[in-house]
Structures are given as structure tokens and as C-alpha cells.
Amino acid sequence: AQTVTQSQPEMSVQEAETVTLSCTYDTSESDYYLFWYKQPPSRQMILVIRQEAYKQQNATENRFSVNFQKAAKSFSLKISDSQLGDAAMYFCAYRGTSYGKLTFGQGTILTVHP
Amino acid sequence: EAGVAQSPRYKIIEKRQSVAFWCNPISGHATLYWYQQILGQGPKLLIQFQNNGVVDDSQLPKDRFSAERLKGVDSTLKIQPAKLEDSAVYLCASSFRQGGDEQFFGPGTRLTVL
């Protein structure tokens, strides 16, 4: 079974600074997808960024980028120029290619200080 | 495009009572998911439907939980009888297909069992 581990229960960053959230996973599959989701207090889960395992190039979405290390099974999220609106719970998630089931990590609470 | 709708947003019940949650996915989405998110944890898949058929219900406590998606559109998740440990947020998500498509999440229902 696949597992996803987020070892940082909480992180904090100053506004306009950069922060990196860590995620490791375990799988025996060679092809899969990885995601970072943001969950604000409203509980609405919002997709931040996705990475296909077969792509060597790291995904980037505006201020959000990932460092995908397939051999190390590591998938970190870098948030540049942090904004107050980035404050939320962030979840790393894994999905195989056969079914749509997402396996989530435990989450990291991100606090952004003005 | 309307998002995933869920109701109610909040529900408080006594243990051993029954409760039902409703989800209406995005129009045209064939795959529907129910996740359980216990406070401080990542969501865990309870059941996945492809149209009106069950794809994965391996983590659904079938002695007390049931779900249906009769016409392949909206879905109902029921708990009967509820236990204290069922207190959680129940998230519904949908995707166009079950493979590589993005899952869109609803706002969730927060259940408190007293």
C-alpha cells in the first residue's frame, strides 16, 4: 500500500519570504501522480500543483514550485514571495494511475506572519 | 461552472443516532468520492463510485456506513448508528474520469457526535 509522510506538523514564514514544505512517499508503482492541496479554514480543498512521475521537469505554478526526486521518493513544495492568503493546511497526496483514489499525508499547517 | 455541492455543512447528533449526507458532483463527472477527514489528519477515502457502480469501498465500515449513487449523479452517505469516533469532516469530490483527472472537492460536512 502507498503511504505519504509529511514530517513537519507546522511551519511559519514571514510575508514575502520563501518556505519549503516536505513530503516523502512510498510506492512500488513506477507511474503515478503527486499533488499538493491547500485547505484553508473554510475546509475547501484546493489543488495547488500536480506532478506526473514520468516527467523529469519539476512542476511550477506561479509562486509555487516543487522539487520532485523520484529515486528518493521525495516531493517538496516551495512557496516564494509568501502572502498572508497562503496561510492554510497543506496536504501532499499520491495517486496511482489505475484508480482515482488519493492517499494523503498528515498535513502541514503554514502560518504567514506580516 | 458550479462546483461540488454538499449538505448539510454542519451536523450535531447523539451517539447511536443516524445521519445522512448529500453530495451533488460537478455536471458530467462520472467519478465520485467520499473521504473522511478526522481532525488533524489527512482525508481518507471511504468509497469511490464510477457512475453508479462501486469501484473501491475497502475502507468503508460497512457495519454502520452505507453509500449510494442510484442514478450516477448525486450521492448519499449514511451512518447508522453513529459512534463518537465518527466525528469528522466528510468530503465529497468528483472527477470527469477515474484515471488522471483532477478531483474537485466540495466544502465538506462537519459531523459532531456527542
Side-chain angles (χ1 to χ4, degrees):
Chain A
Q2 292 78 22
T3 59
V4 178
T5 302
Q6 294 178 248
S7 59
Q8 305 156 316
E10 298 182 29
M11 291 286 285
S12 64
V13 64
Q14 292 293 131
E15 197 175 5
E17 297 292 308
T18 296
V19 65
T20 299
L21 308 184
S22 301
C23 173
T24 58
Y25 60 94
D26 189 28
T27 183
S28 58
E29 298 179 310
S30 59
D31 200 12
Y32 47 87
Y33 301 86
L34 296 166
F35 305 84
W36 279 98
Y37 280 89
K38 171 185 177 181
Q39 187 178 43
S42 67
R43 301 197 304 265
Q44 187 85 41
M45 197 75 79
I46 302 164
L47 178 65
V48 174
I49 199 166
R50 66 181 273 171
Q51 174 80 42
E52 290 86 354
Y54 66 87
K55 291 185 177 179
Q56 292 187 337
Q57 186 174 6
N58 289 325
T60 299
E61 289 287 343
N62 300 313
R63 298 182 296 107
F64 299 87
S65 62
V66 299
N67 183 7
F68 173 49
Q69 302 290 328
K70 190 173 184 179
K73 295 181 181 174
S74 171
F75 183 61
S76 61
L77 175 69
K78 185 172 80 171
I79 306 174
S80 304
D81 186 26
S82 297
Q83 300 176 358
L84 295 177
D86 295 334
M89 176 78 91
Y90 285 81
F91 289 99
C92 178
Y94 170 101
R95 188 181 74 205
T97 55
S98 299
Y99 298 101
K101 168 187 172 181
L102 287 167
T103 300
F104 288 87
Q106 304 93 318
T108 297
I109 299 173
L110 178 66
T111 302
V112 181
H113 298 288
Chain B
E1 178 181 80
V4 177
Q6 289 188 248
S7 67
R9 290 297 307 276
Y10 302 90
K11 189 73 177 179
I12 300 174
I13 61 172
E14 300 279 336
K15 60 183 179 182
R16 290 188 290 274
Q17 286 186 324
S18 62
V19 63
F21 312 127
W22 175 81
C23 172
N24 191 28
I26 293 172
S27 178
H29 280 195
T31 311
L32 185 147
Y33 313 80
W34 282 103
Y35 291 88
Q36 179 193 56
Q37 185 178 17
I38 293 172
L39 184 65
Q41 299 181 17
K44 179 187 75 173
L45 180 73
L46 290 176
I47 189 166
Q48 176 184 341
F49 291 95
Q50 179 69 14
N51 296 309
N52 61 350
V54 175
V55 174
D56 183 354
D57 64 355
S58 58
Q59 298 195 84
L60 185 74
K62 298 181 185 63
D63 58 335
R64 298 184 299 107
F65 285 65
S66 64
E68 59 184 14
R69 193 184 184 200
L70 291 176
K71 296 184 179 180
V73 182
D74 56 349
S75 175
T76 303
L77 176 69
K78 297 179 181 177
I79 308 175
Q80 182 179 5
K83 293 185 175 181
L84 297 177
E85 59 261 37
D86 298 332
S87 294
V89 174
Y90 291 85
L91 294 167
C92 180
S94 71
S95 64
F96 186 65
R97 299 168 301 182
Q98 71 179 13
D101 290 343
E102 178 182 348
Q103 292 183 27
F104 294 84
F105 284 81
T109 297
R110 180 179 296 280
L111 173 67
T112 301
V113 182
L114 302 175

Short mmCIF file of all heavy atoms in Angstrom, two decimals, chain B residues 8 22-23 25 56 81:
data_model
loop_
_atom_site.label_atom_id
_atom_site.label_comp_id
_atom_site.label_asym_id
_atom_site.label_seq_id
_atom_site.Cartn_x
_atom_site.Cartn_y
_atom_site.Cartn_z
N PRO B 8 -25.74 18.66 4.78
CA PRO B 8 -25.60 19.99 5.36
C PRO B 8 -24.14 20.37 5.55
O PRO B 8 -23.27 19.55 5.33
CB PRO B 8 -26.32 19.83 6.71
CG PRO B 8 -26.03 18.40 7.09
CD PRO B 8 -26.08 17.63 5.80
N TRP B 22 -25.42 14.50 1.84
CA TRP B 22 -25.75 14.53 0.41
C TRP B 22 -24.65 15.23 -0.36
O TRP B 22 -24.06 16.21 0.12
CB TRP B 22 -27.09 15.24 0.23
CG TRP B 22 -27.50 15.44 -1.20
CD1 TRP B 22 -28.08 14.54 -2.03
CD2 TRP B 22 -27.35 16.64 -1.95
NE1 TRP B 22 -28.31 15.11 -3.26
CE2 TRP B 22 -27.88 16.40 -3.24
CE3 TRP B 22 -26.83 17.91 -1.66
CZ2 TRP B 22 -27.90 17.36 -4.24
CZ3 TRP B 22 -26.85 18.87 -2.66
CH2 TRP B 22 -27.38 18.60 -3.93
N CYS B 23 -24.39 14.74 -1.58
CA CYS B 23 -23.38 15.34 -2.43
C CYS B 23 -23.90 15.39 -3.87
O CYS B 23 -24.42 14.39 -4.39
CB CYS B 23 -22.09 14.52 -2.39
SG CYS B 23 -20.83 15.03 -3.59
N PRO B 25 -22.24 16.15 -7.48
CA PRO B 25 -20.96 16.43 -8.14
C PRO B 25 -21.10 17.45 -9.26
O PRO B 25 -22.21 17.85 -9.62
CB PRO B 25 -20.57 15.06 -8.69
CG PRO B 25 -21.89 14.41 -8.99
CD PRO B 25 -22.81 14.88 -7.89
N ASP B 56 -14.29 1.19 -5.22
CA ASP B 56 -13.46 0.89 -4.05
C ASP B 56 -14.23 1.28 -2.80
O ASP B 56 -14.59 2.44 -2.63
CB ASP B 56 -12.14 1.67 -4.13
CG ASP B 56 -11.18 1.35 -2.98
OD1 ASP B 56 -11.55 0.62 -2.04
OD2 ASP B 56 -10.03 1.86 -3.03
N PRO B 81 -25.66 2.95 13.34
CA PRO B 81 -25.71 4.06 14.28
C PRO B 81 -24.35 4.76 14.38
O PRO B 81 -23.31 4.14 14.17
CB PRO B 81 -26.04 3.36 15.60
CG PRO B 81 -25.33 2.04 15.48
CD PRO B 81 -25.41 1.66 14.02
#
